[in-house]
Amino acid sequence: MPEAPSFALMSPATQLLLPLFLHFGLVVSLYAALTWFRLVAVRRGEASKNDFARADGDPPVSARIQRNLANQFEAPVFAWIGALLLILTSHVNTWDVAAAWVFLFGRLAHTAVQCSGDNVALRGQVFTINFLGLAWLMGHACAAVTGLA
């Protein structure tokens, strides 16, 4: 079996996309967790299958996971847009790759905080981490597209 290429040998575009593909892994994990916790809730009699047809039908644990999963399709879309624009304009640099990793680690931290409790203040603070990575990617993408980079 061939060895995986070293991160340093990957193209800048691949380095930029790797944390975004890992973010997709987070999304898959959240779907699995949501399914599991909903099954457990039904088996325990805490909810019926029909309860999940409504946005407010989940018990507290699966409701937090469901809301976090929805969050993965809000701001993260802009990370992909920024990354793709940087790749298309050939403006990917080390700062962009770092921003994508900051974005991923911030998403992971945000998920951990949101899915484990109701500390909204901490969740907002942790959200700032991934938002900084996202703001860099979109800012540099805007500069690249408008010719300011």
Side-chain angles (χ1 to χ4, degrees):
M1 176 181 271
E3 290 186 36
S6 161
F7 187 78
L9 297 177
M10 293 178 185
S11 72
T14 302
Q15 290 179 9
L16 178 61
L17 290 174
L18 182 59
L20 300 183
F21 283 123
L22 291 173
H23 175 257
F24 177 73
L26 171 63
V27 170
V28 170
S29 298
L30 286 167
Y31 273 119
L34 180 61
T35 300
W36 172 257
F37 281 103
R38 283 180 170 177
L39 285 171
V40 169
V42 169
R43 285 186 185 144
R44 290 182 179 166
E46 298 169 0
S48 72
K49 291 179 183 178
N50 292 337
D51 290 338
F52 305 124
R54 298 185 328 271
D56 64 345
D58 278 283
V61 172
S62 59
R64 285 193 296 268
I65 296 169
Q66 188 277 334
R67 184 61 197 129
N68 185 263
L69 183 58
N71 288 161
Q72 304 308 324
F73 296 95
E74 294 170 358
V77 170
F78 292 103
W80 277 97
I81 292 169
L84 293 175
L85 288 171
L86 289 167
I87 291 167
L88 289 172
T89 59
S90 299
H91 278 86
V92 178
N93 64 35
T94 304
W95 289 102
D96 301 323
V97 173
W101 284 101
V102 166
F103 168 79
L104 174 64
F105 291 130
R107 287 272 85 192
L108 291 168
H110 184 262
T111 294
V113 170
Q114 185 171 17
C115 292
S116 65
D118 294 323
N119 189 338
V120 177
L122 178 59
R123 194 170 78 214
Q125 292 167 347
V126 172
F127 176 80
T128 302
I129 298 167
N130 72 83
F131 186 77
L132 291 173
L134 175 62
W136 174 271
L137 289 172
M138 285 303 290
H140 189 210
C142 177
V145 169
T146 59
L148 300 173

